[in-house]
Amino acid sequence: MKYLIILVLSVINLFALVSISPVQIGDKPGFSGVVKGSLNTKRGNTDSDNYTAGLKLSYDNNQSYLMWGEFNFSYGEVSGVKNTNSTFTHLRYIHKLEQDLDWEAFVQSQNNEFTNVAERFLTGAGLRIHLDKERYGNLYFGLGSFYEYLSYTTSVDPKENNIRGNFYLAYKKEFATDSQLSYVAYYQPKVGDINDYIVSNAFELKILIYEKLYISFLISYNKDAKPAQDVKHVDFSQETSFIYKF
């Protein structure tokens, strides 16, 4: 089994860690983490190199708050031509107000050379409501706002300073032995311009395969109504990855 896992990890590209499943205070007390990464190299008819790495660390005090942070990096080349180069960092704090009501605050920084984003910095806060557990299970509704700073790699796109609303639904369903199904959807309109909005959807199936090793199937669909010049409005991805929890 050990050698099979090593073989599979060596030939399947692992994508950047994305936090899909909502977390609840008290679910996993103390410190915990997730790590993933890969090196995928091909030579011959196709020359390509792909590198990915992801790390997420969490602390849950099991009573009133939890906090987590993650960092992701992706880089790739095909025949010596770069085709992937992005980083993502996110820090979040969630504090319980009442039994089914939390407030949360976050800071995020990212860049992506292939969407012409040199720097995107966010900081915001809001409320998170755990909807009727008896009827909906682990379903959460979030609402708030955040400040967004954007600078681009091109001179034709001006720097932006925006305030956006932030509305989301997050759901998870656990089954079998520590496996789960998760979905999250975000709607982030710019204050003062309803035609400038970001919509994100992600669906993940995560299955335990050996001790603390999981396989993840992730599908995402994102739309930016007003992206940088010459950048497409829609991004779709289907990713298969391995995750190790500790």
Side-chain angles (χ1 to χ4, degrees), residues 227-246:
Q229 185 169 312
D230 299 325
V231 173
K232 293 182 178 180
H233 292 267
V234 172
D235 276 315
F236 173 83
S237 67
Q238 180 178 337
E239 305 172 356
T240 301
S241 60
F242 285 91
I243 298 172
Y244 179 77
K245 291 185 177 183
F246 61 90

Side-chain angles (χ1 to χ4, degrees), residues 106-154:
F106 66 90
V107 176
Q108 179 174 308
S109 178
Q110 63 191 110
N111 62 63
N112 189 331
E113 181 178 346
F114 289 87
T115 56
N116 293 344
V117 175
E119 181 183 4
R120 183 176 186 240
F121 173 80
L122 315 177
T123 180
L127 297 175
R128 187 182 74 158
I129 303 166
H130 193 172
L131 301 178
D132 190 339
K133 296 179 185 178
E134 296 297 326
R135 181 177 299 180
Y136 303 111
N138 289 309
L139 178 64
Y140 300 82
F141 172 68
L143 69 162
S145 63
F146 61 86
Y147 163 76
E148 175 188 53
Y149 168 78
L150 269 169
S151 64
Y152 296 96
T153 58
T154 60

Side-chain angles (χ1 to χ4, degrees), residues 123 145-148 161-165 188-193:
T123 180
S145 63
F146 61 86
Y147 163 76
E148 175 188 53
N161 291 275
N162 305 318
I163 301 295
R164 291 188 181 273
Q188 299 170 328
K190 179 180 175 181
V191 174
D193 184 0

